[in-house]
Amino acid sequence: MSLAVLSRKEKEKAIRRLLIQAPPGEFVNAFDDLCLLIRDEKLMHYQGECAGHQHCQKYYVPLCIDGNPVLLSHHNVVGDFRFFDCHSKLSFKFDLLQNQLKDIKTHGIIRNETEYLRNVVLCALKLYVNDHYPTGNCNVLRKTVKKKEFLIACIEDHCYETGNFWNGLWKSKWIFQVHPFLTQVTGRIFVQAHFFKNVNLHIEISKDLKESLEIVNQAQLALSFARLVEEQENKFQASVLEELQELSNEALRKILRRDLPVTRTLIDWQRILSDLNLVMYPKLGYVIYSRSVLCNWII
């Protein structure tokens, strides 16, 4: 169906749906391409703002405020397209298309024991992230639900190589209730990659987890929590690499003409060519035989 025959509401819905589907690191590219098709600057600006806000929440877009990293997520949304930051005590809007903070205001934070625990957990989590991620970011937030206090830890790292036709994102979320003795940690790890050279390949892998933590004091809780995250994410990474290796082997077997074992050992082609040259010149028959043996071995 042509865009010209769509009503304005249908067009708004289509634009927002397409922008929301943009993979991490490609929102601006998707927006620019749609602008060429729609040719309605006012409509695109509004839909870009709405979809950009959702994109930030979905993919934990990282910012830097006063030298401190901030992750945008639905856990630090305060309404009217605004986010807040616990460290700087600011609320703001973020224009993803311009990569710019807007309408910055002060945002009050209640100082209590849970806020102190949040800072302790954040310090322990930063040590883990700095040790395991090349350019990782993390954040710990507070939330009160039915008079129950929760801490929410978010981790994000990405590598956007659009010039090399691929983008990748790793993110995880961990939630636990502030409880005197024992608490249950629920987590979700999510990995997404997009390859778009000669093929449009999307890979999404996720895992949900539940673990228990004993609570002795705040310092012990923070360290135990960081160790738990490290252990679970290491297990997840190892299992993903194993699955991808198995997938690669299976794909390689399918394109081979014969069912050969995949040894992944290095072949010394120089030695093979040297041995081959020794038998190539005495007789023509040896030349044909030697080449056929080599071809059969390769295939």
Side-chain angles (χ1 to χ4, degrees), residues 176-268:
F176 64 90
Q177 184 183 349
V178 180
H179 197 274
F181 304 107
L182 184 70
T183 188
Q184 187 176 66
V185 179
T186 59
R188 180 177 178 81
I189 308 173
F190 176 85
V191 174
Q192 180 170 348
H194 181 208
F195 304 90
F196 46 96
K197 184 177 182 179
N198 301 325
V199 66
N200 187 24
L201 175 63
H202 292 265
I203 298 175
E204 293 186 10
I205 308 171
S206 63
K207 184 177 182 180
D208 296 318
L209 304 119
K210 283 187 179 181
E211 295 290 338
S212 296
L213 274 183
E214 292 185 2
I215 301 176
V216 177
N217 54 52
Q218 292 184 341
Q220 174 270 334
L221 172 60
L223 292 174
S224 297
F225 173 71
R227 281 196 296 266
L228 170 65
V229 173
E230 178 180 11
E231 179 184 340
Q232 295 300 325
E233 291 199 337
N234 285 344
K235 286 181 180 178
F236 176 77
Q237 181 183 12
S239 64
V240 168
L241 291 176
E242 185 178 345
E243 287 291 331
L244 290 177
Q245 187 72 64
E246 202 54 42
L247 180 63
S248 175
N249 291 343
E250 186 65 27
L252 185 58
R253 291 190 189 99
K254 287 182 178 179
I255 64 175
L256 290 172
R257 291 176 57 190
R258 300 180 182 180
D259 189 12
L260 299 177
V262 180
T263 62
R264 297 192 179 276
T265 56
L266 198 62
I267 298 176
D268 189 349

Side-chain angles (χ1 to χ4, degrees), residues 69-84:
V70 179
L71 292 183
L72 304 183
S73 71
H74 68 274
H75 299 293
N76 58 341
V77 170
V78 291
D80 192 27
F81 299 115
R82 301 183 67 83
F83 298 94
F84 75 89

Side-chain angles (χ1 to χ4, degrees), residues 36-137:
L36 297 175
L37 295 173
I38 302 301
R39 299 186 182 278
D40 187 333
E41 185 176 347
K42 186 176 180 181
L43 174 62
M44 285 301 302
H45 177 77
Y46 178 74
Q47 294 303 322
E49 183 181 22
C50 297
H53 185 73
Q54 291 179 270
H55 186 91
C56 290
Q57 297 178 56
K58 184 177 181 180
Y59 294 120
Y60 297 177
V61 171
L63 302 178
C64 189
I65 299 178
D66 297 333
N68 295 296
V70 179
L71 292 183
L72 304 183
S73 71
H74 68 274
H75 299 293
N76 58 341
V77 170
V78 291
D80 192 27
F81 299 115
R82 301 183 67 83
F83 298 94
F84 75 89
D85 172 40
C86 295
H87 186 271
S88 63
K89 303 180 184 65
L90 297 174
S91 71
F92 52 85
K93 292 183 178 181
F94 179 65
D95 189 336
L96 183 59
L97 297 172
Q98 301 296 326
N99 194 31
Q100 185 179 10
L101 295 178
K102 294 182 177 180
D103 194 17
I104 301 173
K105 299 178 181 179
T106 58
H107 184 82
I109 300 293
I110 299 175
R111 293 287 181 180
N112 57 14
E113 189 174 348
T114 304
E115 177 61 18
Y116 177 75
L117 176 60
R118 186 194 70 80
N119 282 299
V120 174
V121 172
L122 178 59
C123 290
L125 194 64
K126 279 183 177 180
L127 292 175
Y128 159 69
V129 171
N130 292 338
D131 192 42
H132 287 73
Y133 292 86
T135 56
N137 298 285

